[in-house]
């Protein structure tokens, strides 16, 4: 084992001891961070170890990370040790596929970004424990840089075994749900492009509907969303420099897509125009990302009313109850409306009702919303302007937006989800009227 790898193990253990033995502000910061992280997990020892490991880089005490505090408290550290510890700010968690077995580690590919790394355990015990792993198996773990050429396993790891495409797609979906802030940690260019796609989609939404809010019956909104998607597809063709007057075969030949690829798309996805346009666009090299297809959830297609909201950072939301909440906030005797209190509770507790929705209601109905919350919460001293964010955090709602579902995703992930859904659909008997499955990262 390399000297620097052995030293990394010693420094890492010293860091963990430093955190666990801490008092004062550092201890409080760890407690707060752990409470938030463990709310998303099962609280077992692996989850606790992972929380401590991620706290080293993601935690904050004032404006400093625990790594910086450790360096400050150990002035006798050599410069090489300081530089090694500082480099651990680039540590990240990922869902990795083993692509090659090395004598002292692995070559791993991060499924989220398609980037490859040489990764080595920094102690003999871990090296022996994972020696049985084989190419193709999936690991959920954090890695930290050691040198310019290789990384080390950091903290605990979960062996998920070899996964078929449907199970791998589920695993990636779970990662997306549980580690939203770590989706593209090692690919800031992809993250930036994903955020830009949300802004672009919002502008397209406003251009098409004429506003950032529209309320229609589920049936009519579904039709309008389909029209909107078709318009986006046409723009995708135009941006790819594709002549819509040419046949699909002519366009595919020019883009370098073979008959087999078109046939596969037709068989698995019904030759959906959005799928084909994304294939063409990716072949043309215009983007590393693909915008997921947006479908109105099935349970909303028959709803009496559905409100669609769009925001350049929060993305798109479909709300069948928004009009009723507006009615509650437009009525002085709001408690006389059947189901009013139940709906207010739902808006506070359900994670789909985000901070943007609450702030939008606060802007439109400031006085009445304050009165409603004072009564509902039994807090007569509650003031909307000063207390709303604290209330939302009390109900575990992020104040800042997380990357929404409408954001574009890397092409390799989009293709994986298409192939996974294709395999699932092939395994199920199809009735004459059965609808095609949705593709890619979908809104639920």
């Amino acid at each position: 084992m390399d000297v620097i790898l052995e030293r990394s193990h010693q420094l890492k253990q010293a860091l963990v001891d430093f955190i666990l033995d801490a008092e004062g502000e550092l201890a409080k910061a760890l407690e707060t961070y752990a409470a938030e992280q463990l709310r998303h997990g099962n609280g077992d020892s692996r989850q606790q170890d992972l929380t401590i490991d991620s706290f080293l880089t993601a935690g904050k005490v004032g404006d400093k990370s625990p790594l910086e505090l450790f360096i400050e408290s150990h002035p006798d550290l050599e410069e090489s040790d300081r530089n090694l510890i500082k480099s651990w700010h680039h540590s990240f968690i990922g869902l990795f596929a083993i692509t090659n077995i090395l004598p002292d580690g692995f070559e791993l590919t991060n499924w989220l970004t398609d980037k490859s790394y040489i990764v080595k355990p920094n102690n003999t015990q871990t090296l022996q424990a994972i020696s049985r792993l084989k190419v193709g198996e999936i690991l959920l773990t954090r890695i930290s840089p050691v040198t310019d050429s290789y990384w080390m396993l950091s903290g605990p790891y979960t062996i998920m075994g070899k996964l078929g495409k449907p199970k791998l797609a589920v695993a990636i979906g779970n990662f997306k749900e549980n580690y939203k802030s770590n989706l593209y940690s090692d690919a800031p260019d992809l993250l930036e492009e994903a955020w830009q796609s949300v802004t672009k989609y919002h502008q397209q939404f406003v251009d098409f509907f004429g506003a950032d809010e529209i309320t229609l019956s589920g049936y009519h909104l579904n039709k309008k969303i389909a029209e909107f998607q078709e318009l986006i597809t046409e723009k995708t063709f135009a941006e790819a420099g594709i002549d819509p007057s040419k046949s699909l075969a002519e366009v595919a030949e020019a883009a370098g897509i073979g008959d087999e690829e078109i046939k596969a798309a037709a068989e698995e996805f019904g030759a959906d125009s959005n799928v084909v346009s994304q294939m063409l666009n990716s072949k043309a090299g215009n983007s590393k990302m693909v915008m997921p297809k947006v479908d109105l959830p099935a349970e909303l297609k028959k709803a009496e009313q559905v409100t669609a909201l769009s925001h350049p950072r929060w993305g798109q939301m479909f709300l069948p109850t928004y009009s009723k909440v507006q009615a509650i906030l437009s009525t002085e005797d709001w408690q006389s409306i059947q189901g009013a209190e139940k709906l207010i509770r739902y808006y506070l507790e359900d994670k789909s009702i985000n901070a943007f929705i609450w702030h939008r209601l606060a802007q439109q109905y400031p006085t009445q919303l304050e009165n409603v919350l004072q009564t509902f919460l039994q807090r007569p001293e509650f003031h909307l302007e000063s207390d709303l964010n604290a209330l939302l955090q009390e109900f575990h709602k992020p104040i800042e937006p997380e990357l929404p579902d409408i954001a574009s995703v890397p092409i390799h992930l989009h293709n994986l989800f298409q192939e996974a859904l294709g395999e699932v659909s092939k395994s199920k008997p199809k009735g004459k009227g059965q609808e095609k499955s949705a593709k890619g990262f979908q809104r639920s």
Side-chain angles (χ1 to χ4, degrees):
M1 187 174 291
D2 297 347
V3 172
I4 189 173
L5 193 57
E6 290 183 355
R7 182 57 178 158
S8 72
H9 177 61
Q10 296 167 0
L11 288 172
K12 183 65 181 297
Q13 190 56 54
L15 264 166
V16 172
D17 291 342
F18 173 73
I19 295 298
L20 295 179
D21 294 340
E23 298 178 350
E25 292 302 312
L26 180 55
K28 288 181 181 178
L30 174 60
E31 184 179 355
T32 300
Y33 182 85
E36 176 62 25
Q37 296 299 309
L38 295 177
R39 190 170 61 83
H40 301 292
N42 55 20
D44 62 10
S45 60
R46 192 201 68 84
Q47 178 73 22
Q48 293 174 17
D49 291 344
L50 181 62
T51 296
I52 294 171
D53 197 75
S54 61
F55 175 73
L56 294 175
T57 55
K60 284 292 182 183
V61 181
D63 59 351
K64 294 182 179 180
S65 72
L67 294 181
E68 292 169 322
L69 293 176
F70 178 82
I71 291 173
E72 286 182 2
S73 66
H74 293 75
D76 56 338
L77 281 172
E78 294 185 8
E79 188 66 23
S80 58
D81 289 342
R82 291 172 179 268
N83 291 334
L84 178 58
I85 293 170
K86 288 177 183 178
S87 75
W88 291 345
H89 282 108
H90 298 291
S91 304
F92 67 95
I93 189 170
L95 200 62
F96 298 95
I98 299 175
T99 55
N100 194 18
I101 305 292
L102 306 175
D104 56 351
F106 306 98
E107 184 172 342
L108 303 179
T109 296
N110 183 6
W111 251 109
L112 279 300
T113 60
D114 205 28
K115 290 193 172 188
S116 296
Y117 302 88
I118 292 175
V119 180
K120 303 178 182 182
N122 65 5
N123 62 87
T124 304
Q125 183 180 359
T126 302
L127 180 60
Q128 292 176 343
I130 63 178
S131 61
R132 67 182 185 278
L133 296 180
K134 295 179 172 56
V135 170
E137 293 197 72
I138 304 296
L139 286 177
L140 172 66
T141 189
R142 281 171 54 84
I143 64 174
S144 299
V146 179
T147 70
D148 291 339
S149 60
Y150 73 86
W151 297 57
M152 68 176 183
L153 292 176
S154 180
Y157 56 87
T158 299
I159 302 171
M160 306 183 75
K162 291 186 178 181
L163 302 178
K165 289 176 181 177
K167 288 186 177 180
L168 179 58
V170 170
I172 291 173
N174 289 338
F175 184 95
K176 180 174 180 283
E177 179 66 25
N178 295 326
Y179 305 101
K180 287 185 177 181
S181 61
N182 301 101
L183 278 181
Y184 309 124
S185 296
D186 58 335
D189 56 326
L190 294 184
L191 181 61
E192 177 61 26
E193 190 170 346
W195 277 113
Q196 288 176 358
S197 74
V198 179
T199 302
K200 181 179 179 181
Y201 182 90
H202 168 72
Q203 189 57 55
Q204 290 173 328
F205 183 98
V206 172
D207 290 344
F208 181 80
F209 289 104
D212 62 358
E213 176 182 330
I214 181 172
T215 299
L216 296 169
S217 69
Y219 173 79
H220 286 100
L221 182 59
N222 188 50
K223 289 184 67 175
K224 295 297 290 185
I225 291 292
E227 293 174 18
F228 179 43
Q229 289 287 297
E230 185 60 32
L231 179 63
I232 290 177
T233 298
E234 291 175 4
K235 289 184 176 181
T236 303
F237 275 116
E239 290 171 359
I242 297 168
D243 184 355
S245 66
K246 291 184 178 180
S247 69
L248 179 60
E250 291 173 322
V251 171
E253 183 180 358
I257 295 179
D259 291 341
E260 289 303 313
E261 289 179 271
I262 296 177
K263 183 179 179 181
E267 286 181 352
E268 294 189 12
F269 314 112
D272 181 276
S273 59
N274 187 54
V275 173
V276 175
S277 70
Q278 302 287 9
M279 290 170 59
L280 295 170
N281 206 14
S282 63
K283 287 284 185 176
N286 292 346
S287 176
K288 299 177 184 177
M289 309 285 279
V290 175
M291 190 193 80
K293 183 178 178 182
V294 177
D295 284 318
L296 193 65
E299 67 272 15
L300 299 184
K301 292 179 182 179
K302 296 181 180 179
E304 184 178 344
Q305 278 192 332
V306 180
T307 298
L309 298 175
S310 181
H311 186 272
R313 297 287 289 177
W314 289 94
Q316 181 176 264
M317 294 131 272
F318 295 122
L319 303 171
T321 56
Y322 194 72
S323 294
K324 186 169 183 179
V325 170
Q326 288 178 310
I328 291 171
L329 298 177
S330 300
T331 304
E332 187 171 344
D333 184 18
W334 64 274
Q335 289 174 296
S336 65
I337 298 178
Q338 184 177 2
E341 291 198 8
K342 182 179 180 181
L343 189 55
I344 296 299
R345 181 176 301 281
Y346 172 82
Y347 266 57
L348 283 171
E349 295 180 349
D350 194 272
K351 64 181 181 179
S352 68
I353 309 301
N354 58 41
F356 161 68
I357 296 170
W358 275 100
H359 279 284
R360 190 179 184 91
L361 292 170
Q363 185 178 29
Q364 294 173 340
Y365 308 94
T367 302
Q368 186 63 3
L369 182 57
E370 183 174 271
N371 292 337
V372 167
L373 289 174
Q374 286 174 346
T375 302
F376 179 81
L377 299 168
Q378 296 182 347
R379 300 178 189 176
E381 75 289 351
F382 179 87
H383 294 292
L384 196 64
E385 186 174 346
S386 59
D387 299 333
L388 180 57
N389 279 346
L391 175 66
L392 297 178
Q393 289 176 312
E394 180 183 332
F395 283 89
H396 310 299
K397 295 184 184 295
I399 301 303
E400 295 298 323
E402 298 170 325
L403 190 65
D405 291 343
I406 192 58
S408 293
V409 298
I411 290 169
H412 72 280
L413 286 184
H414 188 78
N415 290 343
L416 168 67
F417 271 70
Q418 290 179 340
E419 292 163 7
L421 287 165
E423 288 187 13
V424 171
S425 65
K426 283 181 179 179
S427 67
K428 295 180 179 179
K430 292 184 179 180
K432 291 183 178 180
Q434 184 171 337
E435 293 183 0
K436 292 286 181 181
S437 296
K439 280 68 115 184
F441 277 131
Q442 294 298 313
R443 297 184 56 82
S444 58

